[in-house]
Amino acid sequence: MTLDAADAIHWNAVLALAPIDGRDSDEDSPARAWQSLARGEAEAMEPRMAEIFAIASASRDPRLVVEVTALRALVLASLAKTGDALTFARRASLMARTEAEPDAELLANIVLARMRRHIGKPHLAVRILDALARLVPHAPRAWLEWERLLAGGTSPIDEVETSADATPEPVAHAAAAAMAPMPTTAPARIGRRLLLAARAGDRAAFERAAEEVLEATAAWFDVQEEARALIALLDPDRPVPDSLREFRHGGDEALRYGLFGARVAPGEQEPGINIFAVARPREKGRRVLIDGLGLFAPGRLIACEEGARRAHGRTDAGLAMLVLAGPEPTPEAEFFRRVYGFAYSPRTHRGVLDVLLHRMRKRIEPSGTITRTDGHLALSLRVAVAVADPRCAPPAAARILSALARQPLATADGVAARLGITLRAAQLALQQLVHDGACVARRTGRHLEFQLCDSTFREPTGTDALRRNDSDPAMAKP
């Protein structure tokens, strides 16, 4: 089995999130495997992937080996086995770099970025995707731009494309078809409109964008499931998929698909608290993405950001938990464990809990009252509220890493200005990140510059094949 012209066509279709035609391919060919994955048949595919990989290895075609390895990562991610999926994605990226195959590097690194996002590290995904976008401007971009939207969000001042996406002209020859333009940005462009409509509270525009983004992602089951999740997390009154139910109602802090980065934010603003607990009087609360607050229209917004985060972080975490619980009482022991992360001992921790409840009452008034009866806590709301949930916020180190991901090299001064923190705080955090191996420090003249490290991805240099202008880097060589 070799990577022929038909396989080049399906590779372009993968990058364009377009339908895959595997009807004339062998049962164990990549085209068939991509087609099965696109239909949502990951569970049936998983037992076959080892055999498909063995066939790819026997072919001695490095591009084929990389492709099948990336496929294994996507199959495992579809089954929520993110740890194993990341292992295969890292392997595919390293193999592609070793073989210096530009098309294989593009595919493998998009998959690696996707896995980085799924495990909750969107800053690493953004770095990979931004680098690829600069290096392969002529490749089909639908998948790449979709990943960028979900990992890094969008700016409210970005220009919106008004023209329809490029559509391939009918061609007779397979090789010519592989070179034909493919749809590029429809899912990401519509996803951006979805975020902006939710933020503006425009219900009609939001519903239109919701229908359109589901249609634009219909060719790929997993991508469409992400679109469904994004829609549900932006709409407080919409049911969520079963995979998000525990997160929605506060039973779990792990957000499926790693959608923490999907938001409308200025380009210089790094992600802060993107998840809010919202509730109306006499209702049980639910979590929404920050842009969904436009559709919810809370009577009061309670958020701890920047300098206020240290003062109000624990207080707002406690309020968010009671908002999610709704009118039903919550046992003190459970409340304490969920907020502080360890078991409650009345003899040791009662004073701590008393102080926290005092601060919570002061912060929620006059929007609601907190009652404490027979070892249970309950929140009664007078108006609809939205409370930032710090339990779902990225740590300060992640915000600094995100800043470094968006700037190839940055100084402590630049990071401090970008994040709105003191220079000393930025210096201490950067020193710790260097010690942990997350970034490296380089002296340039009188300045000390910092660069994000990824143990797998290295941005290709000017000598790499990805920068070649005489061929389409999304194309597999025949």
Side-chain angles (χ1 to χ4, degrees):
M1 181 170 58
T2 59
L3 196 61
D4 56 19
D7 290 313
I9 295 173
H10 86 246
W11 204 326
N12 256 0
V14 166
L15 298 175
L17 296 180
I20 306 297
D21 185 1
R23 291 172 297 178
D24 299 328
S25 304
D26 296 335
E27 185 67 28
D28 293 324
S29 71
R32 275 296 177 87
W34 284 113
Q35 188 181 53
S36 297
L37 180 65
R39 290 197 299 257
E41 299 171 354
E43 189 171 356
M45 290 177 63
E46 186 183 15
R48 297 176 44 227
M49 291 309 300
E51 181 180 351
I52 296 176
F53 180 80
I55 296 174
S57 297
S59 72
R60 298 187 179 278
D61 186 332
R63 291 164 298 163
L64 193 57
V65 175
V66 170
E67 180 181 8
V68 174
T69 304
L71 255 171
R72 296 181 81 174
L74 292 170
V75 168
L76 291 165
S78 183
L79 299 173
K81 299 179 180 180
T82 52
D84 292 338
L86 177 61
T87 297
F88 280 104
R90 286 166 52 87
R91 188 177 302 171
S93 178
L94 291 170
M95 287 192 298
R97 189 173 72 210
T98 300
E99 298 294 340
E101 291 285 351
D103 39 17
E105 278 197 83
L106 176 60
L107 175 67
N109 286 317
I110 289 179
V111 173
L112 177 62
R114 183 177 179 84
M115 297 307 110
R116 295 291 196 208
R117 169 170 61 84
H118 276 225
I119 65 170
K121 295 184 177 180
H123 55 278
L124 292 178
V126 167
R127 180 191 177 222
I128 295 170
L129 296 165
D130 284 353
L132 294 177
R134 293 192 299 270
L135 294 169
V136 289
H138 304 298
R141 299 174 67 89
W143 191 7
L144 187 149
E145 295 299 338
W146 176 255
E147 295 295 334
R148 290 176 87 185
L149 177 76
L150 297 189
T154 187
S155 168
I157 61 174
D158 286 344
E159 293 186 5
V160 180
E161 297 179 45
T162 56
S163 60
D165 294 306
T167 304
E169 296 292 334
V171 286
H173 194 270
M179 291 295 294
M182 302 295 291
T184 55
T185 59
R189 191 184 71 244
I190 300 168
R192 179 180 186 275
R193 291 211 313 265
L194 182 81
L195 290 169
L196 290 171
R199 189 189 196 202
D202 189 337
R203 170 64 67 175
F206 178 81
E207 294 296 344
R208 286 196 301 272
E211 291 182 8
E212 290 176 14
V213 77
L214 290 177
E215 182 178 353
T217 56
W220 287 88
F221 177 84
D222 290 328
V223 175
Q224 189 177 62
E225 287 299 292
E226 288 180 331
R228 292 187 194 278
L230 180 62
I231 293 167
L233 289 169
L234 288 169
D235 187 351
D237 299 313
R238 190 181 298 254
V240 295
D242 289 341
S243 60
L244 296 175
R245 193 174 305 279
E246 286 297 310
F247 176 82
R248 174 75 140 192
H249 298 295
D252 189 0
E253 272 67 66
L255 175 57
R256 180 83 187 271
Y257 310 119
L259 296 177
F260 294 103
R263 64 174 297 179
V264 178
E268 72 280 359
Q269 180 179 334
E270 298 310 322
I273 299 179
N274 197 25
I275 304 296
F276 280 70
V278 302
R280 301 181 181 94
R282 297 174 295 280
E283 284 185 358
K284 190 173 182 179
R286 52 268 194 210
R287 284 182 173 136
V288 298
L289 292 173
I290 188 171
D291 294 313
L293 298 180
L295 296 175
F296 182 74
R300 177 154 177 223
L301 179 66
I302 301 175
C304 53
E305 282 289 4
E306 304 306 335
R309 183 180 297 188
R310 178 173 295 181
H312 296 301
R314 191 82 71 182
T315 304
D316 286 3
L319 285 177
M321 182 175 174
L322 292 185
V323 165
L324 292 169
E328 296 185 7
T330 301
E332 288 181 358
E334 179 184 350
F335 172 84
F336 188 93
R337 180 183 60 79
R338 295 290 303 278
V339 172
Y340 284 92
F342 52 87
Y344 175 61
S345 170
R347 176 178 298 181
T348 306
H349 304 130
R350 185 172 182 83
V352 175
L353 183 58
D354 290 344
V355 172
L356 178 61
L357 289 175
H358 171 74
R359 291 174 176 171
M360 289 169 58
R361 289 189 175 109
K362 186 176 179 180
R363 191 143 167 80
I364 194 65
E365 293 175 353
S367 305
T369 58
I370 298 173
T371 59
R372 187 179 190 181
T373 308
D374 298 328
H376 289 71
L377 305 174
L379 173 64
S380 176
L381 295 174
R382 299 187 183 97
V383 298
V385 300
V387 181
D389 194 341
R391 296 173 298 170
C392 302
R399 300 181 71 229
I400 291 178
L401 290 173
S402 179
L404 292 177
R406 296 170 189 270
Q407 298 174 261
L409 290 172
T411 62
D413 288 341
V415 169
R418 189 179 181 97
L419 299 182
I421 60 178
T422 66
L423 174 59
R424 182 58 177 164
Q427 289 173 334
L428 290 174
L430 286 166
Q431 289 172 7
Q432 184 60 47
L433 290 171
V434 170
H435 180 266
D436 294 341
C439 66
V440 294
R442 298 177 179 177
R443 183 164 293 282
T444 304
R446 298 176 60 185
H447 299 285
L448 191 62
E449 296 179 326
F450 298 87
Q451 184 175 34
L452 179 67
C453 288
D454 187 322
S455 59
T456 301
F457 178 75
R458 293 181 186 172
E459 184 172 344
T461 65
T463 60
D464 286 330
L466 272 176
R467 286 189 181 271
R468 294 183 309 177
N469 295 321
D470 58 343
S471 66
D472 182 355
M475 273 284 296
K477 297 190 287 287

